[in-house]
Structure formats: structure tokens, C-alpha cells
Amino acid sequence: MGLLDYFRSTRRGSASVAKERLQILVAHDRIARDSPSYLPMMQKELLAVICKYVQVDQDAISVNLEQDGNQEILELNIVLPEHSSPQQAVGS
Amino acid sequence: MGLLDYFRSTRRGSASVAKERLQILVAHDRIARDSPSYLPMMQKELLAVICKYVQVDQDAISVNLEQDGNQEILELNIVLPEHSSPQQAVGS
């Protein structure tokens, strides 16, 4: 079973709770462990992009950044307000 | 096992091939299926953010957008050039 299938199947279980949600995973495999990490900076800009499309309550954003050797994973979980709609830019 | 654990374990298998990689997954659970999708538009802006941090060869980007009922998943797989380094903006 591929990652995408797993991703979809695990999320389907929580779909019974009808909420608008966005989940973003960014994984970076690096060759050199000592190269600087840019995921923390990238995270802010990714959130800025998302805020251009949907209204995001800052309290509804959960951020997790993990590092394991040469691999970094950034996880953003966002519960969107029920009245969220595209194209209502609110800035960041 | 949580999604993050699975994500990490499946990726560790391919880590033996030492390449710089970025993988981005964006999942959107929508309440109303007939609301417009913004993931295709968001995809371009997310790539623009990534290009600010690393050099990305357009041929090295694999994009997959799937829709299943009220759930959409956008997947971006990027193999980074070995000489890629942060802060070398190349535009988008």
C-alpha cells in the first residue's frame, strides 16, 4: 500500500466528524546533515500561501517539526472555520 | 502507528539512495463537495515558495492531485539537484 493510500485511509476515519481540515506534510531528505534547515522558514511562507485561500484561525494551527538524522518532517494541521471559503484573503 | 511514523518509515527505505528530496502532501477535507477546489492554484504558489529556498529542476517535479468525494490530496515529489543549496532563488 502506497503512502498516498495510507494517507487517505487514515484520514477517512476522521471524516465522520464533518469539519473542514487541511493537513500539510513536508519531508526533506538531506544528503549533508550539517546543511542549514530551511523548513522552519518555509513553514511561515507556506502558511501565508494557505491564508490567501482560506480563513485560518491562528489557534487552529498545529505545527510539528521533527528531525531524525538527515531527514526532516514538517507537519501542519489546520482546522478550518466552518464558514471558511476560498478567495477571502485575511493576510497572515 | 501514526501517519507521521508511517511517513517516516516508508521514506527511510528509499534513503539508501542518497538524494536530496522534498515531498509535500496537502490533504483537504471539505464539508461541501460543490465548493470550488483551490488546491491546483495553491500548488503553483507552494512550488514558488519552495523555489525560493532550493533550486528546483522543473523536470524533477512530480505532481499528483486526487479527489475522492469530499477529500482532495495534492502530492508533490521533488528530486533536488545534488548541488542544491538554500537561499539560491531561481524564481518559479
Side-chain angles (χ1 to χ4, degrees):
Chain A
M1 182 171 69
L3 172 61
L4 201 57
D5 293 327
Y6 180 87
F7 193 50
R8 197 160 34 209
S9 65
T10 53
R11 293 174 53 78
R12 186 169 286 141
S14 64
S16 57
V17 181
K19 285 194 175 182
E20 293 262 344
R21 297 175 198 270
L22 266 181
Q23 183 174 24
I24 296 107
L25 290 178
V26 183
H28 183 200
D29 288 330
R30 297 191 290 174
I31 296 176
R33 189 185 304 194
D34 57 354
S35 62
S37 167
Y38 45 80
L39 288 193
M41 287 185 295
M42 192 184 282
Q43 166 199 324
K44 295 178 185 174
E45 298 200 45
L46 295 178
L47 279 173
V49 168
I50 291 162
C51 288
K52 291 169 73 173
Y53 291 94
V54 285
Q55 290 185 326
V56 175
D57 184 344
Q58 294 299 311
D59 295 336
I61 302 172
S62 158
V63 178
N64 187 32
L65 179 62
E66 296 199 14
Q67 182 153 7
D68 181 12
N70 288 5
Q71 187 173 67
E72 279 186 305
I73 297 179
L74 171 67
E75 182 184 19
L76 301 174
N77 285 291
I78 303 168
V79 178
L80 302 174
E82 293 188 17
H83 58 277
S84 75
S85 59
Q87 308 295 4
Q88 288 186 316
V90 293
S92 60
Chain B
M1 182 170 71
L3 173 61
L4 202 57
D5 294 327
Y6 179 87
F7 193 52
R8 195 160 37 209
S9 65
T10 54
R11 294 174 52 80
R12 186 168 287 141
S14 64
S16 57
V17 182
K19 285 194 174 180
E20 293 262 343
R21 299 175 197 269
L22 266 181
Q23 183 174 25
I24 296 106
L25 290 178
V26 183
H28 183 200
D29 289 331
R30 297 190 290 174
I31 297 176
R33 189 185 303 194
D34 57 354
S35 62
S37 168
Y38 45 79
L39 288 194
M41 288 185 294
M42 192 183 283
Q43 166 198 325
K44 295 178 186 173
E45 297 200 46
L46 295 177
L47 279 173
V49 168
I50 290 163
C51 288
K52 291 169 74 174
Y53 291 93
V54 285
Q55 290 185 325
V56 175
D57 185 343
Q58 292 300 309
D59 295 335
I61 302 172
S62 157
V63 177
N64 187 32
L65 179 63
E66 296 199 13
Q67 181 154 6
D68 181 12
N70 288 4
Q71 187 174 66
E72 279 185 305
I73 297 178
L74 171 67
E75 182 184 19
L76 301 174
N77 285 290
I78 302 169
V79 178
L80 302 174
E82 292 187 18
H83 58 276
S84 75
S85 60
Q87 309 295 4
Q88 289 185 317
V90 293
S92 57

